[in-house]
Amino acid sequence: MKPKIWVISDTHFHHKGIVSVGARPPHHTELTEANLNRCVGADDILIHLGDVIFAKMTKLERLLDFPCASKILVRGNHDNQSTFWYLRNGFDAVVDSFSIKYDGLDVLFTHKPQKFFFFLLFFHGDLHTLSHREGESEWYRLDSPRHHLFSLEWEAYNPVQLKNITTKYKNQ
């Protein structure tokens, strides 16, 4: 079977603040962990678009202990540990951004939305809703059809298969 590439963002594992403001259910860490274990296979690749964990830092390696060929972290604004810390705790690569040609499309992955005209598709996290950072920057409006927000809340705390997203854009 051909390996799959999965994308997830803003897991905020063990983040009590995101629960206390009503943005996530109290069991969001366990729900996300179960969904990752159910979806991601041994030969698959997981791209995490940042903001991984907020507390109980020693549990990250266990949270990421599912069969997977590679786990890539695109560092988010709350990923403040050293690169080596993330490598020691379950990730195979830690980057600020990267691009690939996938399914015939040029795709850029970052944590925060950016203004790029030379990529066909731009995948990012950071925003939990379209109005999450409204007023901070005109680029947070996401009015470009080339931007795709990976919001864990919108995806029922599941990773998303990259092929499903690129197919959607190819058919537009």
Side-chain angles (χ1 to χ4, degrees):
M1 187 155 81
K2 187 176 179 181
K4 298 173 186 158
I5 299 176
W6 297 89
V7 181
I8 197 165
S9 186
D10 297 277
T11 49
H12 290 258
F13 291 134
H14 300 294
H15 189 187
K16 291 179 182 176
I18 204 167
V19 172
S20 67
V21 298
R24 294 226 175 133
H27 67 290
H28 74 95
T29 293
E30 295 78 12
L31 180 60
T32 304
E33 180 184 18
N35 289 337
L36 282 164
N37 282 307
R38 180 179 48 79
C39 294
V40 180
D43 296 327
D44 295 348
I45 296 169
L46 177 69
I47 300 169
H48 193 301
L49 297 178
D51 289 359
V52 179
I53 191 166
F54 277 71
K56 301 183 182 179
M57 305 300 268
T58 58
K59 297 190 183 242
L60 181 59
E61 188 172 17
R62 187 193 61 77
L63 286 166
L64 296 176
D65 188 26
F66 49 88
C68 184
S70 296
K71 296 173 193 88
I72 302 166
L73 173 61
V74 178
R75 192 184 287 275
N77 54 303
H78 294 291
D79 297 321
N80 299 320
Q81 301 297 320
S82 72
T83 297
F84 298 108
W85 186 88
Y86 291 103
L87 293 172
R88 283 192 307 270
N89 285 281
F91 285 99
D92 299 292
V94 179
V95 298
D96 291 323
S97 66
F98 75 99
S99 64
I100 60 172
K101 187 154 202 103
Y102 182 83
D103 203 18
L105 302 170
D106 292 317
V107 181
L108 175 67
F109 297 90
T110 69
H111 177 66
K112 290 186 175 190
Q114 304 289 323
K115 178 180 175 181
F116 288 101
F117 294 109
F118 49 91
F119 284 95
L120 186 57
L121 291 176
F122 179 63
F123 294 164
H124 62 88
D126 192 37
L127 310 177
H128 300 266
T129 65
L130 288 178
S131 62
H132 179 209
R133 300 213 190 266
E134 200 167 53
E136 287 185 26
S137 165
E138 67 179 86
W139 290 104
Y140 282 114
R141 286 196 320 250
L142 302 177
D143 51 8
S144 167
R146 296 180 305 169
H147 283 81
H148 184 87
L149 169 61
F150 284 91
S151 170
L152 201 57
E153 292 85 354
W154 292 353
E155 303 297 341
Y157 304 92
N158 285 292
V160 179
Q161 196 174 339
L162 183 57
K163 180 77 171 170
N164 294 345
I165 304 300
T166 56
T167 298
K168 175 182 134 183
Y169 282 95
K170 284 178 79 170
N171 293 332
Q172 287 183 348

